[in-house]
Structures are given as structure tokens and as C-alpha cells.
Amino acid sequence: MANKLLVAIVQSAPVPLAIDHGIKQVCALIEKAAARGADVIAFGETFLGGYPIWLDEAPGAALWDHPGSKALHGILMEQAITVGDSRLVPLQKLVDQTKACVSIGAHERVRSSLYNNQILFRPNSEPLNHRKLVPTHGERLIWNRGDGSTLNVHQAQWGTVGNLICWEHWMPLARAAMHNLGEDVHVSAWPTVRETYAIASRHYAFEGGCHVLAAGTLLHRDDLLDGLELAGGNAEALALFHEIPDQQLQFGGSMIIAPDGEILAEASDRDEILLAEIDLQAGLEAKAALDTDGHYSRADVFELNVNTSENLGVNWRD
């Protein structure tokens, strides 16, 4: 296993709503990060399609039967990726060529529900899905809940990489499950890495004895307007977007964190590719003091059972 890796966070503004355009943008950004030698490349929460910031910023968005919110939900349903989506083939080919692991958030549609999916693209292997277990607060107006079947990690030649999304980092049992899977590198996906989110990411690194890529995203209201136009436009959705202040709405703040909680690299609130060389040996050495899945777990006192079955809701049998 190689000890040294170059890891990257792509902190940029996505193309909201218009996922086909977003995939082209993502491929170009991956090429830039890979050209700089990155072995792991992370993007923030729902980068493909953009974070539904209108739930936080538009005063009427959560009102029952709001025409703008319904219109935006319809657009996301039409645009969202699906299982085996052929639109992702160019992205997978790029990952195969560069040999980099890429973690990127996306809106995904399964039947008639949307999910917040942080997809881990792996060289010469099918992507791993991780669907957010609990959408946070207003997000429940858009996304369904994931299940234990997508709690997973990828075993690369150099070690193990996994990801969680946003407030999943405050789910103690989700953290314990991921620590049990033995991550060397963890992607922590956020809309903006604000102070409390940075605390959660640094805590995860120290608790799990792993390197953490806390990936944030940028967004200005103009990006929403541009994305809506690229997605075909809609008068009700446009009216809702005009309720949002004409200003920057997501502020990046991405950081790369060592297993001792030290910040190795930190981004500003501007567009950039954040890079750092990490030493995987540091994660092994950290376990001497704290191994929350081993000598610090007290398995004789505490036990965690994880249901990894897929919850389909409807099961057809002969």
C-alpha cells in the first residue's frame, strides 16, 4: 500500500438544475484536478444539479402547494440521474483513464422519489452509491431517506475511501458504522463548510483516525438563474428565485484534514482546486492512542447492528 497520496477538493459553482450541462462541467474539472496528479477528487453535496438552496433562502418555498417549489421539483425529477444512467458514461471513462477516485453529489431519481446521492466513481469498477440517510430539515420536502444498503467504502490499491453527506456526520451510529469499514480517506460533503461543519469534519478525522476531505461548494443567485434557463426555463420557478437575495449563497470553506484534526489545506470563498499530499501512515499511527472501532470500542458493553438490506417498500413475489 502506498503511503503518500495527493488528494483534491474541487470547490466551484455547479450548474444548478441542468444536469447534462453539469456533467460536462464536472468532466472538465476532473481533468484539471487529475492533471495536477490527484489520486482522490472530491466535490460537495449535490454538485450535479446543485444544492436546493431555495428551501433556505426563498421565504415562501416551504408553503403548501407553492407553484415555484412544485415547478422546481418537476425539473429535478426530469433532470435527475437514474440507476445505470448513460449520461454518466463520459465521467466513468474519465475516471478509468485518470485512475483517480471521484466523489460527487447528485440528485438521483428512483421510481418517483428523489434522493441525495454522493456517488463514488472508481477506476474500472461500477460507481458506489451512498444515499443520504436523513435529509435535513427542509430537505425532506425534496429527498427521500436512503437505507443501509448504500453504507459502503471502496478498497483502492492504496487503501480505503468512503463518504458521508452533511449532517450524517452528527449521526453517531453512522459514524461508528463507517469507522468499522476502516476508512483511510473520508469525503465529508457539505453545501458550505461553515464553522460547525468544519468542527464535525475535524472531529470525524480525529475519531476515525483518517484523513478527511471536507468539500464545500460555491453558489450565487445568478447561478440559479443561469441554470434554470439551461434547464428550459419556468416562470413559476423564476419568480421563486427572484425572492432570493441577489448575492453569494454558498461560500466554499473546503478543507483537507489530517487524522489528528490538523488542517492541512483550507480554501477561501472563491473558485479553486484545493490540494494536499497526505501520509496514510499517520492514520495507522493515530490508532495507537484512539481506535474507536477497536481498543476504544468496549464491544462487551456496546453493540451496533447495521441493516444493509435494500428497502424497496414493495416486494413482488411469485
Side-chain angles (χ1 to χ4, degrees):
M1 184 174 79
N3 282 338
K4 300 291 180 70
L5 284 181
L6 190 66
V7 298
I9 298 173
V10 177
Q11 180 175 281
S12 188
V15 180
L17 302 173
I19 288 179
D20 287 1
H21 291 82
I23 290 170
K24 292 178 182 177
Q25 175 205 27
V26 162
C27 286
L29 291 170
I30 291 172
E31 285 181 335
K32 287 183 180 179
R36 298 177 68 176
D39 300 293
V40 179
I41 303 169
F43 292 79
E45 184 173 3
T46 52
F47 195 88
L48 285 176
Y51 184 78
I53 195 72
W54 56 90
L55 297 173
D56 297 325
E57 300 291 344
L63 294 176
W64 180 260
D65 212 31
H66 191 288
S69 295
K70 289 197 301 182
L72 287 166
H73 196 87
I75 292 169
L76 284 175
M77 289 278 280
E78 291 171 348
Q79 291 279 333
I81 65 165
T82 56
V83 174
D85 201 313
S86 61
R87 294 176 294 173
L88 297 177
V89 169
L91 205 162
Q92 181 64 54
K93 285 184 177 178
L94 188 56
V95 168
D96 293 342
Q97 291 166 9
T98 62
K99 307 303 180 188
C101 292
V102 176
S103 174
I104 185 166
H107 295 272
E108 181 192 27
R109 178 176 176 175
V110 179
R111 304 206 303 270
S112 294
S113 284
L114 292 170
Y115 291 83
N116 178 340
N117 189 354
Q118 189 75 17
I119 310 171
L120 186 59
F121 286 89
R122 312 175 291 163
N124 303 308
S125 299
E126 290 187 1
L128 288 177
N129 295 309
H130 172 62
R131 298 180 185 121
K132 193 173 190 178
L133 292 169
V134 183
T136 303
H137 197 51
E139 295 172 0
R140 295 168 198 173
L141 295 171
I142 288 184
W143 294 318
N144 198 356
R145 299 189 301 173
D147 58 39
S149 68
T150 65
L151 276 172
N152 47 43
V153 294
H154 169 58
Q155 185 65 53
Q157 290 182 341
W158 46 261
T160 304
V161 57
N163 44 222
L164 287 176
I165 308 165
C166 203
W167 280 33
E168 288 183 316
H169 293 85
W170 282 301
M171 297 176 69
L173 301 185
R175 297 200 312 268
M178 294 301 290
H179 297 334
N180 178 254
L181 294 174
E183 293 170 297
D184 295 295
V185 176
H186 173 79
V187 175
S188 178
W190 307 91
T192 297
V193 186
R194 60 183 70 173
E195 183 182 9
T196 50
Y197 299 176
I199 292 169
S201 302
R202 295 179 71 182
H203 175 273
Y204 192 99
F206 187 83
E207 180 183 73
C210 60
H211 287 84
V212 169
L213 279 60
T217 302
L218 305 175
L219 192 75
H220 192 281
R221 194 196 66 171
D222 288 348
D223 298 316
L224 294 173
L225 301 179
D226 293 343
L228 178 61
E229 185 176 353
L230 289 171
N234 180 280
E236 289 83 5
L238 183 62
L240 180 61
F241 283 169
H242 279 297
E243 293 180 23
I244 298 172
D246 182 13
Q247 62 188 25
Q248 188 165 344
L249 303 167
Q250 289 173 227
F251 300 90
S254 301
M255 57 181 62
I256 298 170
I257 307 159
D260 62 358
E262 179 187 355
I263 299 172
L264 301 177
E266 187 171 8
S268 65
D269 59 356
R270 295 292 180 263
D271 196 300
E272 65 180 290
I273 295 177
L274 187 68
L275 289 160
E277 184 180 71
I278 63 172
D279 185 354
L280 298 179
Q281 187 69 19
L284 299 178
E285 293 174 358
K287 303 298 195 300
L290 179 65
D291 179 7
T292 55
D293 185 56
H295 64 72
Y296 236 82
S297 68
R298 287 304 305 270
D300 57 326
V301 179
F302 305 108
E303 184 178 354
L304 173 62
N305 297 298
V306 182
N307 179 7
T308 59
S309 61
E310 188 176 13
N311 270 324
L312 299 174
V314 177
N315 297 293
W316 295 83
R317 296 187 178 92
D318 292 336

